Each structure stands twice: as structure tokens, then as C-alpha cells.
Amino acid sequence: MISMAASSLEITLVGVSTVFHHRRRGDITAVKNLDLHIHPGEFLTLLGASGCGKTTTLRMIAGFQPPSSGQIRFGGEDVTHLAANQRDIGFVFQNYALFPHLSVFENVAYGLRVKRRSTSDIESSVAQGLRQVGLQGLGDRMISELSGGQQQRVALARAIAIKPRVLLFDEPLSNLDAQLRVQMRGEIARLQKELAITTVYVTHDQEEAMAISDRIAIMNEGQIVQIGKAEELYQRPVSPFVAGFLGNTNMIRGRVVAMQADRATLDIAGYRWTLVTTAPVKIGDMCDAVVRPEALVLTRDGDGLKGVVESRVYLGAKAEYLVRVGDQVFQVVQWNPVAGELFKAGQGVCVTLPAAGVQLLGAHISSDRSLD
Ligand SMILES: Nc1ncnc2c1ncn2[C@@H]1O[C@H](COP(=O)(O)OP(=O)(O)O)[C@@H](O)[C@H]1O
Ligand SMILES: [Mg+2]
């Protein structure tokens, strides 16, 4: 197993913007004054909806797209104006971008030939690349003879064969079926850790991002709205946008009626809910509590919000409910629902709220507040 940890590179973007000039749409600022620091050897994912600027950001790191302003650094080196082929990057595209008329070997050898490596170096590097992606012995095949998953592996082998300083992926699994996507993402994550090459990965798939990344940067309209580990983003989203983007969520609105040390009591339509919180709220504030569907518990009766089941979807390992409480509808997930404990549409229930682990968002709490 080879390790290149010693040469892992940090990548820094400082105030980077990209403006595209459209004849009909006018000027579009695809990326807005973006600051991003990627640690050496880190697997960082840019996650966001279509059109939020992920590909543009990745292409700027690759050198395919010059920024309109700002600076990009690889380690201490300013690469803002360095040509793509001078940057030592491995890029894996969504459509693989393989040469269909060349063999697997020649596809993987391509970048090495461009770099004028010796024949023996090319042979050993290609063999190693193919071995690392599980395609050993398939060098003579034509691309057209391969499955989609195998083609994706060739693209991956080609990217790592040049021993790049940086690995970049743009939605590399979108064209694969669901099962293969899950398998390939595990292999990409494993290989990335093995090679310890600083990696930027673009996806719009939240689960994929959570499964493979060291950190995730959530983008919206050309900006990073929050960056952190999956669990930080999920448990402590800084805004309703992030809370809604990463997983399903309930925003439970209430007014702070009491504060005591690390606890706040909210009034929700007459019900008093006391929870542990460090949020800077004060008596009288209206807050939105970010409560995940799996953090709510349904019982027949008990201490909690009184509601009525509007609908139920039974999925075996879990049941998903919509429960009406006054003028709000909550999503509730019940894990491992045993038949006798299932609730029916129309049934009156009690919704128990968690006493801790809840993020409170208030109108006065800045949405770009840092988590640490
Ligand atoms: N080459 C280009 N020319 C003009 N507009 C572009 C170009 N590339 C991207 N855009 C625009 O920039 C915005 C961000 O695009 P992109 O970075 O591709 O988003 P994403 O990858 O998140 O879907 C979009 O509005 C898109 O239409
Ligand atoms: Mg894109």
C-alpha cells in the first residue's frame, strides 16, 4: 500500500469570484467571493443544488476556468494563473470523458504520455492504477466493451496514474445505478484515504456527501453557507436553509418564556417545552427549533404536544408519519415499529419533544455564525 501523505497539499481559495456574461441573462455571478481552506489529505465535498456554483468552483481549482477575481493557492504556491496541465491534478468527470477508440491501457496511460514518461514508467504506473481500481488484467479491453461501472473505474485509474497533487471529482457517480453508486463511493473513499491526496468532490446527493467526506461545504447561490463534518451540519445547522437541505427536518416555532442556566423553556401553542441549549436566546424571542423527524417520539398519551396522525407510510425498518399539531404538521420517524405500536391515520397521539440536542435558530441569530 503506497502512501503519499508526506506530499499532501493544502488548497486555499481567497475571495474567489466568477462572473459569466450571458447575452440574454446578463451577468451571472456563479461564484461569489468564496473563501475556502482545504486541509492536506482532506476529502472535501461541495454539496448543493444544481446551478449553485459547484462545477465552476471545481473548474477553477483545476485551472479550466479562470476566476474573475481572487486567488487560488496550492500549498504556498499561487496557482491562480497557472495552466491546468501545470497543476498536477487528476479530474474525474461525470461522463467519464474516456477515449472510446482507445484501449483501457491507453486511456489510463494518456496523462503519462502527455508528461513524456518513459515506457517502463508508463507500464508500471498504468498497471498500478488498474490494480488500485480493481481492473488488473483488463488493459487490452476497448472502452466500448466495458460496463458503466468499469468505465468509471478507468476514469479513476487515469486520474490517479499521474500521481496528482490534487484529485477532483464532478458528480462522478450520477450515471450509475443506485447499488453501484453505493459500492463505488465506498471504493473512492477508501482509495482516497490510501493515497492521502487532497480531494475535492462535487455532488448534489446529500447521502453520498455524508458517506464519503471528511467535511462538507454546503453551497447556495455561489457561496458556502456552512462547512463542517456531516454530524455538525446535521445536528447544528446554522440556518433553515442548511437544516432543510441536509436531511428532513421540522422547524418547531415557539417563544422563549423562561431561561435558567443552560436551559430554555419555549411556549408552543400553550405547551411548555424545556430543553438544554447554548443558543444566545432571551426571554420573549421567537425561535425555530430544528428537530429531526427521528428525534420526535409518538405515544398514545403522555407529556408532549397533542396531535392527530394525518398519514403513515410503513417501510418495514421504519414508519414515517405526518402529525398535525394545531396549525403545524410535523414529520415523525418511528424506527423498528413493532406491529402493535403502529399508529393509524386519524388517531390522536402525543408527540414527545427531545430535551437536548436541538439547534435553536432565532431571527436575531446570524445565519453565518461560525460553529467553533
Ligand atoms: N461556461 C459558462 N458560461 C455561462 N454560464 C455558466 C457557465 N458555467 C456555468 N454557468 C452558470 O453559472 C451558474 C453555476 O453553474 P455551475 O457551477 O455549473 O453549477 P452546479 O455545478 O452547482 O450545478 C449557473 O447559473 C450556470 O448557468
Ligand atoms: Mg455541476
Side-chain angles (χ1 to χ4, degrees):
M1 210 152 290
I2 49 163
S3 172
M4 311 210 312
S7 61
S8 292
L9 194 75
E10 66 182 340
I11 303 174
T12 311
L13 280 66
V14 186
V16 167
S17 298
T18 314
V19 181
F20 291 114
H21 306 287
H22 280 261
R23 210 176 304 149
R24 276 180 302 112
R25 291 159 73 193
D27 283 358
I28 296 210
T29 308
V31 175
K32 289 179 198 152
N33 198 18
L34 193 95
D35 291 327
L36 176 60
H37 185 80
I38 306 164
H39 306 306
E42 182 174 35
F43 195 124
L44 181 103
T45 295
L46 303 176
L47 173 68
S50 176
C52 72
K54 305 181 296 294
T55 294
T56 304
T57 304
L58 200 68
R59 287 171 52 82
M60 288 193 290
I61 296 171
F64 299 146
Q65 169 71 46
S68 309
S69 58
Q71 192 190 53
I72 300 173
R73 289 200 296 267
F74 284 4
E77 183 189 353
D78 182 350
V79 298
T80 316
H81 303 290
L82 192 67
N85 61 9
Q86 303 295 309
R87 290 193 190 191
D88 274 336
I89 50 127
F91 203 113
V92 181
F93 300 88
Q94 179 178 346
N95 61 5
Y96 316 145
L98 299 171
F99 304 109
H101 56 285
L102 295 181
S103 67
V104 167
F105 182 97
E106 284 305 328
N107 268 277
V108 178
Y110 177 77
L112 298 157
R113 292 209 194 281
V114 169
K115 287 180 177 294
R116 300 186 184 284
R117 297 280 170 77
S118 71
T119 308
S120 64
D121 185 10
I122 291 175
E123 277 177 4
S124 65
S125 296
V126 171
Q128 185 182 41
L130 290 177
R131 207 165 46 242
Q132 283 168 326
V133 301
L135 287 183
Q136 57 271 47
L138 295 189
D140 293 336
R141 295 277 182 90
M142 297 305 287
I143 296 300
S144 55
E145 297 172 319
L146 303 180
S147 68
Q150 286 173 320
Q151 291 186 25
Q152 186 56 273
R153 285 168 199 269
V154 176
L156 186 55
R158 180 178 60 184
I160 61 177
I162 58 163
K163 303 197 169 48
R165 297 197 286 173
V166 175
L167 263 177
L168 305 173
F169 294 87
D170 194 357
E171 313 240 10
L173 306 180
S174 319
N175 294 343
L176 303 178
D177 65 50
Q179 208 181 343
L180 203 50
R181 261 202 317 266
V182 171
Q183 187 192 339
M184 278 302 291
R185 79 183 187 205
E187 292 193 27
I188 289 173
R190 176 189 52 78
L191 195 58
Q192 193 272 342
K193 282 287 158 272
E194 215 172 281
L195 300 174
I197 302 173
T198 311
T199 296
V200 188
Y201 188 100
V202 161
T203 184
H204 64 271
D205 184 324
Q206 317 158 17
E207 190 189 286
E208 192 173 298
M210 294 180 91
I212 59 179
S213 317
D214 293 321
R215 284 190 306 158
I216 301 170
I218 297 187
M219 290 187 69
N220 186 32
E221 296 183 348
Q223 295 180 308
I224 292 174
V225 289
Q226 190 172 358
I227 183 166
K229 294 192 176 103
E231 55 266 39
E232 286 170 358
L233 302 185
Y234 191 79
Q235 292 166 13
R236 287 180 287 151
V238 294
S239 66
F241 177 85
V242 175
F245 193 79
L246 206 65
N248 292 322
T249 197
N250 297 297
M251 297 296 245
I252 301 180
R253 179 152 292 191
R255 186 179 296 282
V256 179
V257 291
M259 294 289 299
Q260 188 193 23
D262 61 346
R263 268 152 233 273
T265 301
L266 302 192
D267 179 302
I268 302 156
Y271 176 75
R272 296 293 169 103
W273 174 28
T274 298
L275 71 160
V276 174
T277 180
T278 53
V281 293
K282 55 187 192 313
I283 291 174
D285 284 351
M286 284 301 286
C287 294
D288 284 319
V290 179
V291 185
R292 301 294 181 176
E294 65 273 17
L296 293 171
V297 179
L298 293 185
T299 51
R300 270 166 224 288
D301 48 14
D303 180 28
L305 292 163
K306 301 291 182 261
V308 175
V309 174
E310 283 209 332
S311 67
R312 178 187 82 197
V313 178
Y314 177 71
L315 296 168
K318 63 178 178 177
E320 296 176 348
Y321 299 90
L322 290 179
V323 178
R324 175 168 292 282
V325 176
D327 60 355
Q328 302 188 69
V329 175
F330 296 150
Q331 308 171 60
V332 183
V333 166
Q334 184 186 31
W335 284 100
N336 190 24
V338 183
E341 290 174 2
L342 281 169
F343 299 93
K344 295 193 287 279
Q347 188 173 349
V349 286
C350 175
V351 182
T352 306
L353 300 165
V358 172
Q359 177 85 335
L360 285 185
L361 301 173
H364 68 287
I365 302 173
S366 160
S367 63
D368 56 11
R369 182 171 56 101
S370 160
L371 281 172
D372 32 39

